[in-house]
Amino acid sequence: MAKPKVATTSLAGCFGCHMSLLDIDDRILKLVELVDFDKSPIDDIKKFTGRCAVGLIEGGCCNEENVHVLQDFRKHCDILVSVGDCATMGGIPAMRNTIPLAECLEEAYLNGPTVHNPSGRIPNDPEIPLLLDKVYPCHEVVKIDYHLPGCPPPADTIWQALTALLNNNPLDLPYELIKYD
Amino acid sequence: MSQSLQDTVQQICRDHQNDRGRLMDIVTGVQAKFGYVNQQAIDLIAKSVNAPRVDVESVVSFYAFFSPTPKGKVTIRLCNDIIDRMHGSARSAQAFFDDLGIGFGETTADGMISLESVPCIGLSDQAPAALINDVPVTCLTSDSAHDIVAELKTHMDPQKLVKSFGDGKNSDPLIRSMVRNNIRQPGPIIFSPCVRGEAIKKALSISPAEVIRAIKTARLRGRGGAGFPTGIKWEFCRAAEGDRKYVLCNADEGEPGTFKDRVLLTERADRVFAGMTIAGYALGAEEGILYLRGEYAYLRTYLEDVLTKRRGDGLLGKDILGKKGFNFDIRIQMGAGAYICGEETSLISSCEGLRGDPKNRPPFPAQKGYLGYPSVVNNVETFCCVTKILELGPASFNEHGSAGSSGTKLLSIAGDCTTPGVFEVDFGITLGEVLKLAGAENAIAVQVGGPSGQLVSPKDYGRKICFDDLATGGSIMTFGPGRDVLKIAQCFMEFFIEESCGYCTPCRVGNVLLKERLEQIAAGRGQPSDLDYLQDLGETIKTTSRCGLGQTSPNPILSTLKNFREVYEKLVRPCEDGLLPTFDIHAAIGQAKRITGRESVVFK
């Protein structure tokens, strides 16, 4: 029987959650026995090659490309998991949510005290995805099946969650794995 | 700002003995004098009453009737309650917008007239209504709104807008209001004739403990809505230790759709004050406070006069009716536009000159209330009942009503009905019978108990108005064919969001989330799982808020989910592909498209 497939992506995140995934140490060998990776920065596959059992999403949605990728994940994955605080509630990028977009751009590219921008222009290359009016957590854009809190969630938490999902076991995380104080 | 500000503010503070407990009155005075309470005035008040500046500032910012920035000489406060909306308040609003050239929350360029949108002002039976400064104007149309602006521009005197007076004491020289009482069905207890002073005389002829026993025998329960047994409350307070005790009358009738206390204070003020005096005797209290909502300020002069006359007649003051050692007097505390102050611990906070924040319970007010002394807070109507019980004896009171709810209840009925107004009914009457009384038999839904109560569907019109079934503080809003149940719930959620004091996160944030999700469902973008979300979140808010506002604020949604579930179910669709219809990518990238001048390459 073919191994189940897992896909991962980092949207408006810092790749910290992916680092935490790699932090499972030697269990990564076990993971490779257990699953194949589909679209993911881990194997650098850019496009889905087929249906996946689990999709892990890091980061919320700050631009149209994030939305596009997230919707693509929803279409291809049986189970979607928001991994980490940015995916779950917007996180640090969502700090801009109380400020109008135009003001954010002006502060970042024109008015900020450390800005050096002799052109006086706000970058506007057609390649740059359009920003959203604010940063959305993933579950406000598509249906999300599970949320793993943490910044980042520890490797053990990700490992336990992933193996439980792949083995069709209930996602029953012990208190120590979801406690952060 | 000048010497004159300084002198006037300091004088107002001195008039209130520089007592920080009287901050409400001081700020009301400054607001009335200058039209706003600016930073300098806040400094001066803080200094005069020896309070931290933030205490004064928080009072100024908390209450809707206070303003740190200049307001017009005249403020038009148009009621935005659901009943007013149903009766076309939007047309009056448009007329005001057009003639004044301003929107809600704005002041005309000449600084003369401000326009505001406010929650229920207790005139649902003559909606749409507005308060122009203190003066109520009723049954507004776009024509009358045009006339009001035209006239105000000539004389700027709201009182001159009153061309004819309402019935009963509304024409009293001290009230002179166009408000109508609309007493549609006077009953045997509250509106029956009574002899002034008789009830107090009877009370003073027996011991305080016997007075409390009479109240308990009559099985009187609080008329504000919660229905706590009055006699037990009094007994707790009497037994509580304290050098002083207080009697507070809750006349902060803010529950949208209720207006019976307005009528009682207009027509039966003596009976209310008699009830408070009897409570004073029973508890061993010497001071009473009538907390009058700011919206009813037009009744204040009249009520002060009633108090003066009672003092003159020996019904208030020292040795009342010759009873040596029984001294009791009443002062009126004005509110300033905060629904939360109808909650008894918030009301106490407000009387103490603080923001209208609820207090933790226990200790209950009967143990530690106003200024930390044992206090009883009862509704206006409850005190009327007390007077009647003492006058005629508990047995005559018990003759009326149902097993768990004795006596009669005043209902304020408004909305889609032929005779909106006040009805005195025996407890135990069915909702169907009530609707017949007011000519609302064809109602498709009835809100019982105001926004914090429940929306009842026709299949439940056989249920009874009483504490054990459909409890209500008096508000009955009727909705005729064609009214949108979800719009009603939405309107009530807006109300709670506006009136939340903000202390508890579930109430401050949760109600906004509830309303947003409700709007999505109403717009046809909801899924079946959203109904569970509303239910779960609603219950969380109820269990995790500390006062009655938060504990009841999800009711518009929870009760419609229960009683009108089919309305929701018709609107929601399962989301097969998992892409949420509530997320609107085109709205989300709208700003960026404008800023960059580009179209999306992904989302056409």
Side-chain angles (χ1 to χ4, degrees), chain B residues 172-230:
Chain B
D172 188 286
L174 297 176
I175 300 181
R176 292 165 59 231
S177 169
M178 68 168 79
V179 172
R180 300 190 58 81
N181 289 324
N182 288 332
I183 303 171
R184 306 287 183 182
Q185 177 172 301
I189 293 174
I190 315 251
F191 283 118
S192 63
C194 87
V195 187
R196 190 160 166 268
E198 186 65 19
I200 297 182
K201 203 184 294 169
K202 290 217 169 130
L204 297 183
S205 71
I206 55 179
S207 73
E210 283 169 325
V211 170
I212 294 179
R213 197 175 310 139
I215 302 295
K216 286 172 84 172
T217 311
R219 294 181 292 127
L220 175 63
R221 294 171 68 172
R223 269 21 184 184
F228 191 83
T230 307

Short mmCIF file of all heavy atoms in Angstrom, two decimals, chain B residues 172-230:
data_model
loop_
_atom_site.label_atom_id
_atom_site.label_comp_id
_atom_site.label_asym_id
_atom_site.label_seq_id
_atom_site.Cartn_x
_atom_site.Cartn_y
_atom_site.Cartn_z
N ASP B 172 -48.87 68.94 34.16
CA ASP B 172 -48.49 69.65 35.40
C ASP B 172 -47.48 70.75 35.05
O ASP B 172 -46.60 70.55 34.22
CB ASP B 172 -47.86 68.63 36.36
CG ASP B 172 -47.61 69.22 37.74
OD1 ASP B 172 -46.65 70.03 37.87
OD2 ASP B 172 -48.36 68.87 38.67
N PRO B 173 -47.64 71.91 35.69
CA PRO B 173 -46.72 73.02 35.36
C PRO B 173 -45.25 72.65 35.55
O PRO B 173 -44.37 73.29 34.96
CB PRO B 173 -47.12 74.12 36.34
CG PRO B 173 -48.33 73.67 37.04
CD PRO B 173 -48.66 72.27 36.66
N LEU B 174 -44.97 71.65 36.36
CA LEU B 174 -43.58 71.27 36.57
C LEU B 174 -43.10 70.20 35.59
O LEU B 174 -41.94 69.84 35.59
CB LEU B 174 -43.38 70.80 38.02
CG LEU B 174 -43.65 71.84 39.08
CD1 LEU B 174 -43.52 71.26 40.47
CD2 LEU B 174 -42.71 73.03 38.92
N ILE B 175 -44.01 69.65 34.79
CA ILE B 175 -43.60 68.66 33.79
C ILE B 175 -43.76 69.23 32.38
O ILE B 175 -42.83 69.26 31.60
CB ILE B 175 -44.39 67.34 33.93
CG1 ILE B 175 -44.18 66.72 35.31
CG2 ILE B 175 -43.96 66.36 32.84
CD1 ILE B 175 -44.90 65.41 35.54
N ARG B 176 -44.95 69.67 32.05
CA ARG B 176 -45.24 70.29 30.74
C ARG B 176 -44.61 69.50 29.60
O ARG B 176 -43.73 69.97 28.89
CB ARG B 176 -44.75 71.74 30.72
CG ARG B 176 -45.58 72.63 31.66
CD ARG B 176 -44.92 73.96 31.95
NE ARG B 176 -44.67 74.73 30.75
CZ ARG B 176 -43.48 75.27 30.46
NH1 ARG B 176 -42.47 75.10 31.28
NH2 ARG B 176 -43.33 75.96 29.36
N SER B 177 -45.11 68.28 29.43
CA SER B 177 -44.52 67.41 28.41
C SER B 177 -45.59 66.91 27.45
O SER B 177 -46.76 66.76 27.82
CB SER B 177 -43.85 66.23 29.09
OG SER B 177 -43.51 65.27 28.13
N MET B 178 -45.18 66.63 26.21
CA MET B 178 -46.12 66.08 25.23
C MET B 178 -46.24 64.56 25.38
O MET B 178 -47.01 63.92 24.68
CB MET B 178 -45.67 66.43 23.81
CG MET B 178 -44.39 65.76 23.35
SD MET B 178 -44.13 65.95 21.56
CE MET B 178 -43.50 67.62 21.48
N VAL B 179 -45.48 63.98 26.32
CA VAL B 179 -45.54 62.53 26.51
C VAL B 179 -46.93 62.12 26.98
O VAL B 179 -47.54 62.78 27.81
CB VAL B 179 -44.48 62.10 27.57
CG1 VAL B 179 -44.65 60.65 27.94
CG2 VAL B 179 -43.09 62.37 27.05
N ARG B 180 -47.43 61.04 26.43
CA ARG B 180 -48.73 60.50 26.86
C ARG B 180 -48.49 59.30 27.76
O ARG B 180 -47.54 58.55 27.56
CB ARG B 180 -49.57 60.08 25.66
CG ARG B 180 -49.89 61.22 24.69
CD ARG B 180 -50.93 60.77 23.68
NE ARG B 180 -52.16 60.34 24.32
CZ ARG B 180 -53.11 61.18 24.76
NH1 ARG B 180 -52.96 62.48 24.61
NH2 ARG B 180 -54.19 60.71 25.33
N ASN B 181 -49.36 59.13 28.76
CA ASN B 181 -49.21 57.99 29.66
C ASN B 181 -49.60 56.68 28.98
O ASN B 181 -49.01 55.64 29.23
CB ASN B 181 -50.08 58.16 30.90
CG ASN B 181 -49.55 59.25 31.81
OD1 ASN B 181 -48.34 59.41 31.92
ND2 ASN B 181 -50.44 59.99 32.43
N ASN B 182 -50.65 56.74 28.17
CA ASN B 182 -51.15 55.52 27.52
C ASN B 182 -51.43 54.41 28.52
O ASN B 182 -51.02 53.26 28.31
CB ASN B 182 -50.17 55.03 26.44
CG ASN B 182 -50.17 55.92 25.22
OD1 ASN B 182 -51.17 56.56 24.92
ND2 ASN B 182 -49.05 55.98 24.51
N ILE B 183 -52.12 54.74 29.61
CA ILE B 183 -52.52 53.68 30.55
C ILE B 183 -53.75 53.02 29.96
O ILE B 183 -54.84 53.57 29.98
CB ILE B 183 -52.84 54.26 31.95
CG1 ILE B 183 -51.63 55.02 32.49
CG2 ILE B 183 -53.25 53.14 32.91
CD1 ILE B 183 -51.90 55.80 33.75
N ARG B 184 -53.56 51.84 29.39
CA ARG B 184 -54.65 51.19 28.66
C ARG B 184 -55.52 50.35 29.57
O ARG B 184 -56.68 50.17 29.33
CB ARG B 184 -54.09 50.29 27.56
CG ARG B 184 -53.14 50.98 26.60
CD ARG B 184 -53.87 51.91 25.66
NE ARG B 184 -52.93 52.50 24.71
CZ ARG B 184 -53.27 53.38 23.79
NH1 ARG B 184 -54.52 53.78 23.68
NH2 ARG B 184 -52.37 53.87 22.97
N GLN B 185 -54.90 49.76 30.58
CA GLN B 185 -55.68 48.92 31.49
C GLN B 185 -55.18 49.11 32.91
O GLN B 185 -54.23 48.47 33.32
CB GLN B 185 -55.55 47.45 31.07
CG GLN B 185 -56.29 46.54 32.02
CD GLN B 185 -56.35 45.11 31.54
OE1 GLN B 185 -56.87 44.82 30.47
NE2 GLN B 185 -55.81 44.19 32.33
N PRO B 186 -55.83 50.02 33.66
CA PRO B 186 -55.45 50.17 35.06
C PRO B 186 -55.98 48.97 35.84
O PRO B 186 -57.07 48.49 35.57
CB PRO B 186 -56.17 51.46 35.48
CG PRO B 186 -57.21 51.71 34.45
CD PRO B 186 -56.94 50.87 33.25
N GLY B 187 -55.20 48.46 36.75
CA GLY B 187 -55.62 47.27 37.49
C GLY B 187 -55.91 47.59 38.94
O GLY B 187 -55.92 48.75 39.35
N PRO B 188 -56.12 46.56 39.75
CA PRO B 188 -56.59 46.75 41.12
C PRO B 188 -55.51 47.14 42.12
O PRO B 188 -55.84 47.54 43.23
CB PRO B 188 -57.15 45.36 41.46
CG PRO B 188 -56.37 44.42 40.61
CD PRO B 188 -56.04 45.15 39.35
N ILE B 189 -54.25 47.04 41.75
CA ILE B 189 -53.21 47.31 42.76
C ILE B 189 -52.44 48.59 42.46
O ILE B 189 -52.53 49.58 43.17
CB ILE B 189 -52.27 46.10 42.89
CG1 ILE B 189 -53.06 44.93 43.50
CG2 ILE B 189 -51.07 46.45 43.78
CD1 ILE B 189 -52.33 43.65 43.55
N ILE B 190 -51.72 48.57 41.37
CA ILE B 190 -50.81 49.69 41.11
C ILE B 190 -51.57 50.97 40.77
O ILE B 190 -51.22 52.06 41.22
CB ILE B 190 -49.86 49.33 39.94
CG1 ILE B 190 -49.33 47.93 40.14
CG2 ILE B 190 -48.81 50.40 39.75
CD1 ILE B 190 -47.95 47.77 40.50
N PHE B 191 -52.58 50.84 39.94
CA PHE B 191 -53.28 52.05 39.50
C PHE B 191 -54.56 52.32 40.27
O PHE B 191 -55.32 53.21 39.92
CB PHE B 191 -53.56 51.98 37.99
CG PHE B 191 -52.33 52.26 37.16
CD1 PHE B 191 -51.82 51.31 36.30
CD2 PHE B 191 -51.68 53.49 37.25
CE1 PHE B 191 -50.69 51.56 35.54
CE2 PHE B 191 -50.55 53.75 36.49
CZ PHE B 191 -50.05 52.78 35.64
N SER B 192 -54.84 51.53 41.31
CA SER B 192 -56.05 51.77 42.08
C SER B 192 -55.88 53.06 42.89
O SER B 192 -54.76 53.46 43.18
CB SER B 192 -56.29 50.60 43.03
OG SER B 192 -55.21 50.54 43.95
N PRO B 193 -57.00 53.68 43.25
CA PRO B 193 -56.87 54.90 44.05
C PRO B 193 -56.31 54.57 45.43
O PRO B 193 -56.50 53.45 45.91
CB PRO B 193 -58.31 55.41 44.18
CG PRO B 193 -59.20 54.34 43.66
CD PRO B 193 -58.38 53.31 42.97
N CYS B 194 -55.57 55.48 46.03
CA CYS B 194 -55.16 55.20 47.40
C CYS B 194 -55.03 56.49 48.18
O CYS B 194 -54.88 57.57 47.62
CB CYS B 194 -53.90 54.34 47.45
SG CYS B 194 -52.35 55.18 47.39
N VAL B 195 -55.13 56.36 49.51
CA VAL B 195 -55.10 57.54 50.37
C VAL B 195 -53.66 57.84 50.74
O VAL B 195 -52.95 56.98 51.25
CB VAL B 195 -55.92 57.27 51.65
CG1 VAL B 195 -56.04 58.55 52.47
CG2 VAL B 195 -57.28 56.69 51.31
N ARG B 196 -53.25 59.07 50.46
CA ARG B 196 -51.87 59.45 50.70
C ARG B 196 -51.55 59.36 52.19
O ARG B 196 -52.31 59.87 53.03
CB ARG B 196 -51.66 60.88 50.19
CG ARG B 196 -50.24 61.36 50.15
CD ARG B 196 -50.17 62.54 49.18
NE ARG B 196 -48.93 63.28 49.29
CZ ARG B 196 -48.75 64.34 50.08
NH1 ARG B 196 -49.75 64.76 50.82
NH2 ARG B 196 -47.58 64.95 50.11
N GLY B 197 -50.48 58.69 52.54
CA GLY B 197 -50.07 58.64 53.94
C GLY B 197 -50.62 57.44 54.69
O GLY B 197 -50.11 57.06 55.74
N GLU B 198 -51.67 56.81 54.11
CA GLU B 198 -52.34 55.72 54.81
C GLU B 198 -51.39 54.52 55.03
O GLU B 198 -51.31 53.97 56.13
CB GLU B 198 -53.55 55.28 53.98
CG GLU B 198 -54.44 54.25 54.61
CD GLU B 198 -55.13 54.75 55.88
OE1 GLU B 198 -55.23 55.98 56.07
OE2 GLU B 198 -55.54 53.90 56.70
N ALA B 199 -50.67 54.16 53.97
CA ALA B 199 -49.80 53.00 54.06
C ALA B 199 -48.70 53.22 55.10
O ALA B 199 -48.39 52.32 55.89
CB ALA B 199 -49.17 52.69 52.70
N ILE B 200 -48.13 54.42 55.12
CA ILE B 200 -47.06 54.69 56.09
C ILE B 200 -47.63 54.64 57.51
O ILE B 200 -47.02 54.08 58.42
CB ILE B 200 -46.41 56.06 55.81
CG1 ILE B 200 -45.75 56.05 54.44
CG2 ILE B 200 -45.38 56.41 56.89
CD1 ILE B 200 -45.04 57.33 54.07
N LYS B 201 -48.85 55.20 57.68
CA LYS B 201 -49.48 55.20 58.99
C LYS B 201 -49.63 53.76 59.49
O LYS B 201 -49.32 53.42 60.63
CB LYS B 201 -50.85 55.88 58.89
CG LYS B 201 -51.33 56.41 60.24
CD LYS B 201 -52.73 57.00 60.16
CE LYS B 201 -52.83 58.26 59.31
NZ LYS B 201 -54.22 58.66 59.05
N LYS B 202 -50.11 52.89 58.59
CA LYS B 202 -50.30 51.49 58.97
C LYS B 202 -48.96 50.84 59.29
O LYS B 202 -48.85 50.05 60.24
CB LYS B 202 -51.00 50.74 57.84
CG LYS B 202 -52.45 51.15 57.70
CD LYS B 202 -53.36 49.98 57.34
CE LYS B 202 -54.81 50.40 57.49
NZ LYS B 202 -55.62 50.07 56.32
N ALA B 203 -47.96 51.15 58.48
CA ALA B 203 -46.64 50.55 58.72
C ALA B 203 -46.10 50.96 60.09
O ALA B 203 -45.56 50.15 60.84
CB ALA B 203 -45.67 50.95 57.61
N LEU B 204 -46.28 52.24 60.41
CA LEU B 204 -45.73 52.74 61.67
C LEU B 204 -46.49 52.23 62.89
O LEU B 204 -46.00 52.29 64.01
CB LEU B 204 -45.72 54.28 61.66
CG LEU B 204 -44.84 54.93 60.59
CD1 LEU B 204 -44.86 56.44 60.73
CD2 LEU B 204 -43.41 54.42 60.68
N SER B 205 -47.69 51.69 62.64
CA SER B 205 -48.47 51.16 63.77
C SER B 205 -48.02 49.75 64.15
O SER B 205 -48.43 49.22 65.17
CB SER B 205 -49.97 51.16 63.42
OG SER B 205 -50.22 50.15 62.46
N ILE B 206 -47.20 49.14 63.30
CA ILE B 206 -46.66 47.82 63.64
C ILE B 206 -45.15 47.90 63.69
O ILE B 206 -44.56 48.92 63.33
CB ILE B 206 -47.13 46.73 62.62
CG1 ILE B 206 -46.76 47.14 61.19
CG2 ILE B 206 -48.62 46.49 62.75
CD1 ILE B 206 -47.15 46.11 60.14
N SER B 207 -44.50 46.84 64.12
CA SER B 207 -43.04 46.89 64.24
C SER B 207 -42.40 46.66 62.87
O SER B 207 -43.03 46.09 61.97
CB SER B 207 -42.58 45.79 65.20
OG SER B 207 -42.71 44.53 64.56
N PRO B 208 -41.12 47.09 62.71
CA PRO B 208 -40.44 46.86 61.44
C PRO B 208 -40.45 45.38 61.04
O PRO B 208 -40.65 45.05 59.88
CB PRO B 208 -39.02 47.35 61.72
CG PRO B 208 -39.18 48.39 62.77
CD PRO B 208 -40.32 47.92 63.62
N ALA B 209 -40.26 44.50 62.03
CA ALA B 209 -40.25 43.07 61.70
C ALA B 209 -41.61 42.64 61.15
O ALA B 209 -41.70 41.82 60.24
CB ALA B 209 -39.90 42.25 62.94
N GLU B 210 -42.67 43.25 61.70
CA GLU B 210 -44.00 42.89 61.19
C GLU B 210 -44.23 43.43 59.78
O GLU B 210 -44.94 42.81 58.99
CB GLU B 210 -45.08 43.43 62.16
CG GLU B 210 -45.21 42.58 63.41
CD GLU B 210 -46.07 43.24 64.49
OE1 GLU B 210 -46.02 44.48 64.63
OE2 GLU B 210 -46.76 42.52 65.18
N VAL B 211 -43.62 44.57 59.48
CA VAL B 211 -43.72 45.10 58.11
C VAL B 211 -43.10 44.10 57.14
O VAL B 211 -43.68 43.74 56.12
CB VAL B 211 -43.01 46.47 57.98
CG1 VAL B 211 -42.91 46.89 56.52
CG2 VAL B 211 -43.74 47.53 58.80
N ILE B 212 -41.91 43.62 57.52
CA ILE B 212 -41.23 42.66 56.64
C ILE B 212 -42.07 41.39 56.53
O ILE B 212 -42.21 40.81 55.45
CB ILE B 212 -39.81 42.35 57.17
CG1 ILE B 212 -38.95 43.62 57.06
CG2 ILE B 212 -39.18 41.21 56.39
CD1 ILE B 212 -37.53 43.47 57.56
N ARG B 213 -42.68 40.99 57.66
CA ARG B 213 -43.51 39.78 57.60
C ARG B 213 -44.67 39.99 56.63
O ARG B 213 -45.03 39.08 55.88
CB ARG B 213 -44.03 39.43 58.99
CG ARG B 213 -44.54 37.97 59.05
CD ARG B 213 -44.93 37.55 60.46
NE ARG B 213 -43.90 37.84 61.43
CZ ARG B 213 -44.15 38.33 62.66
NH1 ARG B 213 -45.39 38.58 63.05
NH2 ARG B 213 -43.16 38.56 63.49
N ALA B 214 -45.26 41.19 56.65
CA ALA B 214 -46.38 41.46 55.73
C ALA B 214 -45.93 41.33 54.27
O ALA B 214 -46.64 40.76 53.44
CB ALA B 214 -46.94 42.86 56.00
N ILE B 215 -44.73 41.85 53.99
CA ILE B 215 -44.21 41.77 52.62
C ILE B 215 -43.99 40.31 52.24
O ILE B 215 -44.28 39.87 51.12
CB ILE B 215 -42.88 42.56 52.48
CG1 ILE B 215 -43.09 44.03 52.87
CG2 ILE B 215 -42.31 42.44 51.08
CD1 ILE B 215 -44.00 44.80 51.99
N LYS B 216 -43.48 39.53 53.22
CA LYS B 216 -43.24 38.12 52.94
C LYS B 216 -44.56 37.36 52.78
O LYS B 216 -44.68 36.50 51.91
CB LYS B 216 -42.41 37.49 54.07
CG LYS B 216 -40.93 37.92 54.01
CD LYS B 216 -40.16 37.46 55.21
CE LYS B 216 -39.68 36.03 55.06
NZ LYS B 216 -38.76 35.66 56.18
N THR B 217 -45.54 37.71 53.61
CA THR B 217 -46.85 37.04 53.49
C THR B 217 -47.48 37.33 52.13
O THR B 217 -48.13 36.48 51.54
CB THR B 217 -47.81 37.52 54.60
OG1 THR B 217 -47.12 37.46 55.84
CG2 THR B 217 -49.05 36.66 54.67
N ALA B 218 -47.26 38.54 51.66
CA ALA B 218 -47.81 38.90 50.35
C ALA B 218 -47.03 38.22 49.22
O ALA B 218 -47.43 38.24 48.07
CB ALA B 218 -47.76 40.41 50.15
N ARG B 219 -45.92 37.60 49.57
CA ARG B 219 -45.04 36.90 48.61
C ARG B 219 -44.62 37.84 47.47
O ARG B 219 -44.58 37.45 46.31
CB ARG B 219 -45.74 35.65 48.06
CG ARG B 219 -45.95 34.59 49.15
CD ARG B 219 -46.61 33.34 48.60
NE ARG B 219 -47.97 33.60 48.20
CZ ARG B 219 -48.47 33.30 47.00
NH1 ARG B 219 -47.71 32.74 46.09
NH2 ARG B 219 -49.72 33.58 46.70
N LEU B 220 -44.35 39.07 47.83
CA LEU B 220 -43.93 40.06 46.81
C LEU B 220 -42.55 39.70 46.28
O LEU B 220 -41.62 39.43 47.04
CB LEU B 220 -43.90 41.46 47.44
CG LEU B 220 -43.38 42.58 46.53
CD1 LEU B 220 -44.27 42.77 45.31
CD2 LEU B 220 -43.28 43.89 47.31
N ARG B 221 -42.43 39.69 44.96
CA ARG B 221 -41.12 39.48 44.32
C ARG B 221 -40.77 40.70 43.48
O ARG B 221 -41.64 41.38 42.96
CB ARG B 221 -41.16 38.20 43.47
CG ARG B 221 -41.34 36.97 44.34
CD ARG B 221 -41.59 35.71 43.54
NE ARG B 221 -40.42 35.32 42.76
CZ ARG B 221 -40.34 34.17 42.09
NH1 ARG B 221 -41.33 33.30 42.13
NH2 ARG B 221 -39.26 33.85 41.40
N GLY B 222 -39.47 40.94 43.35
CA GLY B 222 -38.99 42.16 42.70
C GLY B 222 -39.53 42.30 41.29
O GLY B 222 -39.54 41.35 40.52
N ARG B 223 -39.96 43.52 40.95
CA ARG B 223 -40.64 43.75 39.67
C ARG B 223 -39.67 44.14 38.55
O ARG B 223 -40.09 44.37 37.42
CB ARG B 223 -41.66 44.87 39.84
CG ARG B 223 -43.09 44.50 40.23
CD ARG B 223 -43.29 43.19 40.87
NE ARG B 223 -44.73 42.93 41.09
CZ ARG B 223 -45.19 41.86 41.71
NH1 ARG B 223 -44.37 40.94 42.17
NH2 ARG B 223 -46.49 41.67 41.87
N GLY B 224 -38.38 44.24 38.86
CA GLY B 224 -37.43 44.65 37.82
C GLY B 224 -37.17 43.56 36.80
O GLY B 224 -36.70 43.83 35.70
N GLY B 225 -37.47 42.33 37.15
CA GLY B 225 -37.29 41.24 36.20
C GLY B 225 -36.75 39.97 36.84
O GLY B 225 -37.16 38.87 36.53
N ALA B 226 -35.81 40.13 37.78
CA ALA B 226 -35.17 38.96 38.36
C ALA B 226 -36.10 38.24 39.35
O ALA B 226 -36.00 37.03 39.54
CB ALA B 226 -33.88 39.34 39.06
N GLY B 227 -36.98 38.99 39.99
CA GLY B 227 -38.00 38.36 40.82
C GLY B 227 -37.51 37.84 42.16
O GLY B 227 -38.07 36.89 42.70
N PHE B 228 -36.49 38.46 42.72
CA PHE B 228 -36.03 38.02 44.04
C PHE B 228 -37.08 38.42 45.09
O PHE B 228 -37.60 39.54 45.04
CB PHE B 228 -34.68 38.66 44.37
CG PHE B 228 -34.03 38.07 45.58
CD1 PHE B 228 -33.29 36.90 45.47
CD2 PHE B 228 -34.17 38.64 46.83
CE1 PHE B 228 -32.70 36.32 46.58
CE2 PHE B 228 -33.59 38.07 47.95
CZ PHE B 228 -32.85 36.91 47.83
N PRO B 229 -37.38 37.52 46.03
CA PRO B 229 -38.40 37.85 47.04
C PRO B 229 -38.00 39.08 47.86
O PRO B 229 -36.95 39.11 48.51
CB PRO B 229 -38.44 36.61 47.93
CG PRO B 229 -37.93 35.50 47.06
CD PRO B 229 -36.90 36.14 46.17
N THR B 230 -38.84 40.09 47.80
CA THR B 230 -38.52 41.39 48.42
C THR B 230 -38.35 41.27 49.93
O THR B 230 -37.43 41.85 50.51
CB THR B 230 -39.63 42.40 48.08
OG1 THR B 230 -39.80 42.41 46.67
CG2 THR B 230 -39.27 43.79 48.56
#
